[in-house]
Amino acid sequence: MEDVNLIARHWHHLPIDEVAELLESDRERGLDRFEVEHRLEAFGPNAITAQKGQGPLIRFLLQFHQPLIYILIVSGLVTAVLGEWVDSGVIFGVVLVNAVIGYLQEAKAVNALAALARTMTTEATVLRQGEKRRIPATELVVGDIVFLQSGDKVPADMRLFQVRDLQIAEAALTGESAPVAKDHGLHGRDTVLADRRNMAYASTLVTYGQGWGIVTATGDATEVGRISQLISAAEALATPLTRKISEFSNVLLYVILGLAGLTIAVGLLRGQTFFEVFMAAVALAVGAIPEGLPAAVTITLAIGVSRMAQKRAIIRKLPAVETLGSTTVICTDKTGTLTENQMTVQEIVVGGLVYTVSGTGYNPMQGRIDGPAAASGTTTSPALLECLRAGLLCNDSRLGEEDGLWQVHGDPTEGALLTSARKGGLGQETLAASARLDTVPFESEHQYMASLHDSGLGAPRLVYLKGAVEALLARCTSQLDALGNPVPLVVVEIQAAVESMAAKGLRVLAMARKEMEPKTASIHHGDLTTGLVFLGLQGMIDPPRPEAVAAVKICQAAGIRVKMITGDHPVTAAAIARKVGLYNLGSAHIVPVLTGAELEKLSDSEFIDRAEDTVVFARATPEQKLRLVEALQVRGHVVAMTGDGVNDAPALKRADIGVAMGITGTEVAKEAADMILTDDNFSSIEAAVEEGRGVFDNLTKFIAWTLPTNLGEGLVILTAIFLGVTLPILPVQILWINMTTAGFLGLALAFEPKEPGIMLRPPRQPNAPILTNTIIFRITLVSLLMLAAAFGLFSWELSVGATLAEARTAAVNAFVMVELFYLFNCRSLEKSIFRLGFFSNPWVLAGAVTMILLQVAYTYLPVMNRLFQSAPIDLGVWGRTAAAGLVVFVIIEIEKWFWKKTGKS
């Protein structure tokens, strides 16, 4: 077995005898006990290796590894050095809460590989030493002979050598929406994974038939094992928000250090003692650090999480809320995401007439059959009924309603035929009146299924057939016209109808019938070689969700490009793309489709260009899905990737935000994702994007509101140092201002409703800063106004005979009042507060009232006077501080009007 690894990817290309020889296995007896033990020892158990990750302690400690958290820690240490243990405790409490929330939100992310390993836990029927036995799938080895039957989960990758009607659902691995009929013939060396009909892959599900195969790969060497390695190798990116906050924090650190150094230098040059200038520098640093920002970010995101949960979107990682608002490209899977994941007959051709079938999914009560009226005056012609009857009777599946949902038990294609028959008025009565006597099951070499039915006493017994068009046409000698009368077969017309249906992405099945002698008890392939009557065609597809069409439209209106990446057939993918509106910018009719095979031939630069320009990618492998996400990110896009299968997991993890389906999604996809849609509805993504934009708006509003305070406090300290006067505010008073206003005023912005038209603007550029030039100008303006208000009132109070404590209390209240009035300005960064309405966010009003009460306590309670060195002031001082806040409010409203007038808002 030395050379096995050299051809491990090409078992589908080798004759089965050569496969058995290479794997040193016996198809008649299987492996013996000693050989099994030897191979288990050499290759290990049939299980995916759990990757070594970071332990819980390391993951928790890494929550502190962020620039903003460093700022908070420095702030806590500084307050501790100052002896302000209460304030230090509050700051460290904020740090701890941030870390705990982040840890709990992200703890499940490390479970992706464990979930993937769980998909391998099953049993297998194996042939060993000539005996058939059931064993744990983990004990399988390369070369084992395995038996598969309906309901089995395939336990390992295997080359099939004997099949009987074997069909395997591979959607989770390849994206193929319908179960794949398997065979044991040879396939070309370059055949893509989804088309290797002689292979069965670990973790896929047998839906029909039986088969034998020889194990070619186990554990990590399987296709699903390779996906495990892709997941562990895929980087989890920092979100746009965390990147911008990190950049902002780094800049802020340097600014604070620079200003503190400048403060010390200027103070020393003016002849002040080192202790005085050092304490002034500490006051400046404490003032400049936005202590409330990390908590505000976390709480604003958490509120977004709560709002999105109400819209059926569960967020697993907090920053993912904002990331959705930054999204420029959504790469969506097809099956189960844009589509219903329920095969549905949409078109029937009988007797030269075309009938359309409305409704989607397996609910026969939704939709009907419409088409041209027959001679009888009804759309339900005899030929149509006979075509529907064939699909109903020649069928091994069952359709039923459970808990209000219609579900098919068996093959999805047969479920679609049962549903169309019910829409045509055929049901249990038809089945009861046409008892089945015998069946010729579907076999890949014959490409059809046939069933023999009793038509009543003395009447000819009827054989109904369904299968591939080519297989049945070759056996037909006549066809039914619209009235149900036999007429000569017109092959050209039928083939034209098939081509028309296939061009729409429909999977086409032909229906036929043959009369047998009244006493016929069984049928064989030899009975069906000729003499069949062609009944018609039924074309089906996994249809798009109607709400997905609307959601795609809204996303495109919001400037978000939607691309489809699927493992399904290119014709089917293109048809669904047309139906949901994924049109290329240059054409409303042609959707460019690239297949996995075509992608494989592209150079890196060509790959990046085509990833940008192409709308639909079909037959994409897990590696290619991952590369497509990376290629779009190279172009600067913020990429959201949706999916539900094992094959989507690596790309879900690598994307800026991975979105998994909650109902049909595999555990692997859910664990790799940042967000899970509980209703599997693409339209929920649109709601999530809207919520994400609202969250980013509110975070920007908070930053635009809080930074003037920090800058204003810093300017007050710098001005005092440069002028050589007493500090108007002390470090402990700065902490009071920062912590209370951030909690009771600023956080009210987290509850701000989304502004109208939020989905009519294009996405933010990924490289755009958090703050625009206009907002930076406003922050600077308000900071200067705060400096003027606080320093001015401090100086005024001293000049009229107030004590130092009273003057500092006036300065503190001036800061708070300006912040309070400015809060109303910040409820919208562009629109006037008078357009929004003062009462549309009650949290702001409640915060304002609470803050005023706190300032009254700060000013008049003796305990507060002792802790913060404040002092009681008279009503005149309160009036002057309120007037300062009102002046700032009016100036900012005028500034907004000016920018809007000049078109620069």
Side-chain angles (χ1 to χ4, degrees), residues 554-578:
I554 292 172
C555 287
Q556 290 172 333
I560 301 167
R561 299 168 66 181
V562 183
K563 297 176 182 286
M564 180 195 295
I565 306 178
T566 178
D568 213 341
H569 194 278
V571 175
T572 307
I576 294 297
R578 290 189 184 95

PDB file of all heavy atoms in Angstrom, residues 554-578:
ATOM      1  N   ILE A 554     -33.630  44.404  -2.471  1.00  0.00           N
ATOM      2  CA  ILE A 554     -33.350  45.428  -1.453  1.00  0.00           C
ATOM      3  C   ILE A 554     -31.842  45.565  -1.242  1.00  0.00           C
ATOM      4  O   ILE A 554     -31.313  46.671  -1.133  1.00  0.00           O
ATOM      5  CB  ILE A 554     -34.058  45.080  -0.132  1.00  0.00           C
ATOM      6  CG1 ILE A 554     -35.574  45.197  -0.313  1.00  0.00           C
ATOM      7  CG2 ILE A 554     -33.601  46.005   0.989  1.00  0.00           C
ATOM      8  CD1 ILE A 554     -36.379  44.694   0.864  1.00  0.00           C
ATOM      9  N   CYS A 555     -31.154  44.423  -1.191  1.00  0.00           N
ATOM     10  CA  CYS A 555     -29.697  44.454  -1.016  1.00  0.00           C
ATOM     11  C   CYS A 555     -29.021  45.192  -2.158  1.00  0.00           C
ATOM     12  O   CYS A 555     -28.103  45.993  -1.952  1.00  0.00           O
ATOM     13  CB  CYS A 555     -29.140  43.036  -0.899  1.00  0.00           C
ATOM     14  SG  CYS A 555     -29.505  42.224   0.668  1.00  0.00           S
ATOM     15  N   GLN A 556     -29.475  44.923  -3.385  1.00  0.00           N
ATOM     16  CA  GLN A 556     -28.877  45.596  -4.540  1.00  0.00           C
ATOM     17  C   GLN A 556     -29.169  47.089  -4.513  1.00  0.00           C
ATOM     18  O   GLN A 556     -28.315  47.903  -4.861  1.00  0.00           O
ATOM     19  CB  GLN A 556     -29.402  44.960  -5.831  1.00  0.00           C
ATOM     20  CG  GLN A 556     -28.875  43.544  -6.042  1.00  0.00           C
ATOM     21  CD  GLN A 556     -29.523  42.827  -7.210  1.00  0.00           C
ATOM     22  OE1 GLN A 556     -30.667  43.121  -7.577  1.00  0.00           O
ATOM     23  NE2 GLN A 556     -28.837  41.866  -7.792  1.00  0.00           N
ATOM     24  N   ALA A 557     -30.383  47.461  -4.058  1.00  0.00           N
ATOM     25  CA  ALA A 557     -30.715  48.884  -3.940  1.00  0.00           C
ATOM     26  C   ALA A 557     -29.830  49.568  -2.901  1.00  0.00           C
ATOM     27  O   ALA A 557     -29.558  50.765  -2.994  1.00  0.00           O
ATOM     28  CB  ALA A 557     -32.184  49.048  -3.570  1.00  0.00           C
ATOM     29  N   ALA A 558     -29.386  48.769  -1.907  1.00  0.00           N
ATOM     30  CA  ALA A 558     -28.505  49.300  -0.858  1.00  0.00           C
ATOM     31  C   ALA A 558     -27.044  49.288  -1.284  1.00  0.00           C
ATOM     32  O   ALA A 558     -26.156  49.564  -0.463  1.00  0.00           O
ATOM     33  CB  ALA A 558     -28.676  48.490   0.426  1.00  0.00           C
ATOM     34  N   GLY A 559     -26.778  48.947  -2.542  1.00  0.00           N
ATOM     35  CA  GLY A 559     -25.408  48.963  -3.045  1.00  0.00           C
ATOM     36  C   GLY A 559     -24.610  47.724  -2.702  1.00  0.00           C
ATOM     37  O   GLY A 559     -23.391  47.720  -2.823  1.00  0.00           O
ATOM     38  N   ILE A 560     -25.300  46.658  -2.273  1.00  0.00           N
ATOM     39  CA  ILE A 560     -24.611  45.412  -1.913  1.00  0.00           C
ATOM     40  C   ILE A 560     -24.710  44.438  -3.081  1.00  0.00           C
ATOM     41  O   ILE A 560     -25.807  44.151  -3.560  1.00  0.00           O
ATOM     42  CB  ILE A 560     -25.244  44.790  -0.647  1.00  0.00           C
ATOM     43  CG1 ILE A 560     -25.156  45.763   0.518  1.00  0.00           C
ATOM     44  CG2 ILE A 560     -24.562  43.474  -0.295  1.00  0.00           C
ATOM     45  CD1 ILE A 560     -26.012  45.374   1.704  1.00  0.00           C
ATOM     46  N   ARG A 561     -23.575  43.949  -3.537  1.00  0.00           N
ATOM     47  CA  ARG A 561     -23.565  42.992  -4.639  1.00  0.00           C
ATOM     48  C   ARG A 561     -23.814  41.593  -4.102  1.00  0.00           C
ATOM     49  O   ARG A 561     -23.258  41.198  -3.082  1.00  0.00           O
ATOM     50  CB  ARG A 561     -22.231  43.061  -5.373  1.00  0.00           C
ATOM     51  CG  ARG A 561     -21.974  44.428  -5.978  1.00  0.00           C
ATOM     52  CD  ARG A 561     -20.548  44.586  -6.448  1.00  0.00           C
ATOM     53  NE  ARG A 561     -20.249  43.714  -7.561  1.00  0.00           N
ATOM     54  CZ  ARG A 561     -19.057  43.635  -8.152  1.00  0.00           C
ATOM     55  NH1 ARG A 561     -18.069  44.386  -7.711  1.00  0.00           N
ATOM     56  NH2 ARG A 561     -18.860  42.825  -9.146  1.00  0.00           N
ATOM     57  N   VAL A 562     -24.692  40.852  -4.779  1.00  0.00           N
ATOM     58  CA  VAL A 562     -25.037  39.495  -4.357  1.00  0.00           C
ATOM     59  C   VAL A 562     -24.507  38.520  -5.402  1.00  0.00           C
ATOM     60  O   VAL A 562     -24.805  38.633  -6.591  1.00  0.00           O
ATOM     61  CB  VAL A 562     -26.565  39.321  -4.194  1.00  0.00           C
ATOM     62  CG1 VAL A 562     -26.889  37.920  -3.692  1.00  0.00           C
ATOM     63  CG2 VAL A 562     -27.121  40.364  -3.238  1.00  0.00           C
ATOM     64  N   LYS A 563     -23.684  37.566  -4.952  1.00  0.00           N
ATOM     65  CA  LYS A 563     -23.130  36.541  -5.831  1.00  0.00           C
ATOM     66  C   LYS A 563     -23.555  35.169  -5.324  1.00  0.00           C
ATOM     67  O   LYS A 563     -23.720  34.971  -4.123  1.00  0.00           O
ATOM     68  CB  LYS A 563     -21.601  36.619  -5.867  1.00  0.00           C
ATOM     69  CG  LYS A 563     -21.051  37.919  -6.443  1.00  0.00           C
ATOM     70  CD  LYS A 563     -19.525  37.954  -6.338  1.00  0.00           C
ATOM     71  CE  LYS A 563     -18.962  39.257  -6.865  1.00  0.00           C
ATOM     72  NZ  LYS A 563     -19.014  39.346  -8.341  1.00  0.00           N
ATOM     73  N   MET A 564     -23.736  34.226  -6.257  1.00  0.00           N
ATOM     74  CA  MET A 564     -24.092  32.862  -5.895  1.00  0.00           C
ATOM     75  C   MET A 564     -22.874  31.958  -6.063  1.00  0.00           C
ATOM     76  O   MET A 564     -22.236  31.939  -7.116  1.00  0.00           O
ATOM     77  CB  MET A 564     -25.227  32.337  -6.779  1.00  0.00           C
ATOM     78  CG  MET A 564     -25.651  30.904  -6.458  1.00  0.00           C
ATOM     79  SD  MET A 564     -26.674  30.176  -7.759  1.00  0.00           S
ATOM     80  CE  MET A 564     -28.118  31.206  -7.666  1.00  0.00           C
ATOM     81  N   ILE A 565     -22.529  31.231  -5.003  1.00  0.00           N
ATOM     82  CA  ILE A 565     -21.462  30.235  -5.065  1.00  0.00           C
ATOM     83  C   ILE A 565     -22.072  28.903  -4.660  1.00  0.00           C
ATOM     84  O   ILE A 565     -22.490  28.740  -3.512  1.00  0.00           O
ATOM     85  CB  ILE A 565     -20.293  30.583  -4.126  1.00  0.00           C
ATOM     86  CG1 ILE A 565     -19.774  32.005  -4.408  1.00  0.00           C
ATOM     87  CG2 ILE A 565     -19.167  29.581  -4.274  1.00  0.00           C
ATOM     88  CD1 ILE A 565     -18.654  32.440  -3.476  1.00  0.00           C
ATOM     89  N   THR A 566     -22.154  27.967  -5.586  1.00  0.00           N
ATOM     90  CA  THR A 566     -22.857  26.719  -5.320  1.00  0.00           C
ATOM     91  C   THR A 566     -22.105  25.534  -5.894  1.00  0.00           C
ATOM     92  O   THR A 566     -21.310  25.681  -6.831  1.00  0.00           O
ATOM     93  CB  THR A 566     -24.286  26.764  -5.913  1.00  0.00           C
ATOM     94  OG1 THR A 566     -24.944  25.530  -5.681  1.00  0.00           O
ATOM     95  CG2 THR A 566     -24.254  27.028  -7.414  1.00  0.00           C
ATOM     96  N   GLY A 567     -22.372  24.375  -5.336  1.00  0.00           N
ATOM     97  CA  GLY A 567     -21.809  23.144  -5.874  1.00  0.00           C
ATOM     98  C   GLY A 567     -22.713  22.501  -6.901  1.00  0.00           C
ATOM     99  O   GLY A 567     -22.403  21.444  -7.441  1.00  0.00           O
ATOM    100  N   ASP A 568     -23.860  23.146  -7.184  1.00  0.00           N
ATOM    101  CA  ASP A 568     -24.860  22.570  -8.083  1.00  0.00           C
ATOM    102  C   ASP A 568     -24.475  22.763  -9.552  1.00  0.00           C
ATOM    103  O   ASP A 568     -23.498  23.431  -9.880  1.00  0.00           O
ATOM    104  CB  ASP A 568     -26.223  23.207  -7.801  1.00  0.00           C
ATOM    105  CG  ASP A 568     -27.375  22.231  -8.022  1.00  0.00           C
ATOM    106  OD1 ASP A 568     -27.156  21.228  -8.722  1.00  0.00           O
ATOM    107  OD2 ASP A 568     -28.465  22.471  -7.487  1.00  0.00           O
ATOM    108  N   HIS A 569     -25.316  22.195 -10.441  1.00  0.00           N
ATOM    109  CA  HIS A 569     -25.080  22.233 -11.883  1.00  0.00           C
ATOM    110  C   HIS A 569     -25.160  23.671 -12.398  1.00  0.00           C
ATOM    111  O   HIS A 569     -26.001  24.455 -11.955  1.00  0.00           O
ATOM    112  CB  HIS A 569     -26.125  21.365 -12.585  1.00  0.00           C
ATOM    113  CG  HIS A 569     -25.785  21.056 -14.008  1.00  0.00           C
ATOM    114  ND1 HIS A 569     -26.034  21.942 -15.033  1.00  0.00           N
ATOM    115  CD2 HIS A 569     -25.205  19.976 -14.570  1.00  0.00           C
ATOM    116  CE1 HIS A 569     -25.631  21.409 -16.178  1.00  0.00           C
ATOM    117  NE2 HIS A 569     -25.119  20.207 -15.929  1.00  0.00           N
ATOM    118  N   PRO A 570     -24.290  24.051 -13.366  1.00  0.00           N
ATOM    119  CA  PRO A 570     -24.279  25.437 -13.852  1.00  0.00           C
ATOM    120  C   PRO A 570     -25.595  25.898 -14.471  1.00  0.00           C
ATOM    121  O   PRO A 570     -25.991  27.050 -14.293  1.00  0.00           O
ATOM    122  CB  PRO A 570     -23.138  25.458 -14.887  1.00  0.00           C
ATOM    123  CG  PRO A 570     -22.733  24.044 -15.105  1.00  0.00           C
ATOM    124  CD  PRO A 570     -23.159  23.272 -13.913  1.00  0.00           C
ATOM    125  N   VAL A 571     -26.275  25.016 -15.221  1.00  0.00           N
ATOM    126  CA  VAL A 571     -27.545  25.408 -15.842  1.00  0.00           C
ATOM    127  C   VAL A 571     -28.583  25.701 -14.768  1.00  0.00           C
ATOM    128  O   VAL A 571     -29.318  26.701 -14.828  1.00  0.00           O
ATOM    129  CB  VAL A 571     -28.053  24.300 -16.794  1.00  0.00           C
ATOM    130  CG1 VAL A 571     -29.441  24.657 -17.335  1.00  0.00           C
ATOM    131  CG2 VAL A 571     -27.083  24.108 -17.949  1.00  0.00           C
ATOM    132  N   THR A 572     -28.650  24.838 -13.750  1.00  0.00           N
ATOM    133  CA  THR A 572     -29.588  25.049 -12.641  1.00  0.00           C
ATOM    134  C   THR A 572     -29.246  26.330 -11.892  1.00  0.00           C
ATOM    135  O   THR A 572     -30.128  27.121 -11.543  1.00  0.00           O
ATOM    136  CB  THR A 572     -29.541  23.853 -11.670  1.00  0.00           C
ATOM    137  OG1 THR A 572     -29.739  22.654 -12.407  1.00  0.00           O
ATOM    138  CG2 THR A 572     -30.599  23.975 -10.599  1.00  0.00           C
ATOM    139  N   ALA A 573     -27.959  26.540 -11.631  1.00  0.00           N
ATOM    140  CA  ALA A 573     -27.518  27.735 -10.905  1.00  0.00           C
ATOM    141  C   ALA A 573     -27.886  28.999 -11.674  1.00  0.00           C
ATOM    142  O   ALA A 573     -28.380  29.976 -11.088  1.00  0.00           O
ATOM    143  CB  ALA A 573     -26.015  27.673 -10.670  1.00  0.00           C
ATOM    144  N   ALA A 574     -27.664  28.985 -12.996  1.00  0.00           N
ATOM    145  CA  ALA A 574     -27.978  30.153 -13.814  1.00  0.00           C
ATOM    146  C   ALA A 574     -29.478  30.429 -13.823  1.00  0.00           C
ATOM    147  O   ALA A 574     -29.917  31.581 -13.777  1.00  0.00           O
ATOM    148  CB  ALA A 574     -27.474  29.947 -15.246  1.00  0.00           C
ATOM    149  N   ALA A 575     -30.285  29.352 -13.880  1.00  0.00           N
ATOM    150  CA  ALA A 575     -31.743  29.518 -13.889  1.00  0.00           C
ATOM    151  C   ALA A 575     -32.225  30.163 -12.592  1.00  0.00           C
ATOM    152  O   ALA A 575     -33.044  31.087 -12.615  1.00  0.00           O
ATOM    153  CB  ALA A 575     -32.416  28.163 -14.093  1.00  0.00           C
ATOM    154  N   ILE A 576     -31.726  29.680 -11.478  1.00  0.00           N
ATOM    155  CA  ILE A 576     -32.122  30.261 -10.185  1.00  0.00           C
ATOM    156  C   ILE A 576     -31.630  31.703 -10.081  1.00  0.00           C
ATOM    157  O   ILE A 576     -32.333  32.582  -9.569  1.00  0.00           O
ATOM    158  CB  ILE A 576     -31.564  29.421  -9.016  1.00  0.00           C
ATOM    159  CG1 ILE A 576     -32.214  28.033  -9.004  1.00  0.00           C
ATOM    160  CG2 ILE A 576     -31.789  30.119  -7.689  1.00  0.00           C
ATOM    161  CD1 ILE A 576     -33.710  28.050  -8.775  1.00  0.00           C
ATOM    162  N   ALA A 577     -30.424  31.958 -10.597  1.00  0.00           N
ATOM    163  CA  ALA A 577     -29.876  33.323 -10.563  1.00  0.00           C
ATOM    164  C   ALA A 577     -30.781  34.287 -11.315  1.00  0.00           C
ATOM    165  O   ALA A 577     -31.015  35.417 -10.866  1.00  0.00           O
ATOM    166  CB  ALA A 577     -28.471  33.335 -11.159  1.00  0.00           C
ATOM    167  N   ARG A 578     -31.301  33.844 -12.473  1.00  0.00           N
ATOM    168  CA  ARG A 578     -32.217  34.694 -13.237  1.00  0.00           C
ATOM    169  C   ARG A 578     -33.503  34.946 -12.454  1.00  0.00           C
ATOM    170  O   ARG A 578     -34.018  36.064 -12.410  1.00  0.00           O
ATOM    171  CB  ARG A 578     -32.555  34.041 -14.576  1.00  0.00           C
ATOM    172  CG  ARG A 578     -31.399  34.007 -15.561  1.00  0.00           C
ATOM    173  CD  ARG A 578     -31.868  33.544 -16.939  1.00  0.00           C
ATOM    174  NE  ARG A 578     -30.743  33.426 -17.834  1.00  0.00           N
ATOM    175  CZ  ARG A 578     -30.080  32.301 -18.065  1.00  0.00           C
ATOM    176  NH1 ARG A 578     -30.445  31.187 -17.449  1.00  0.00           N
ATOM    177  NH2 ARG A 578     -29.061  32.276 -18.899  1.00  0.00           N
TER     178      ARG A 578
END
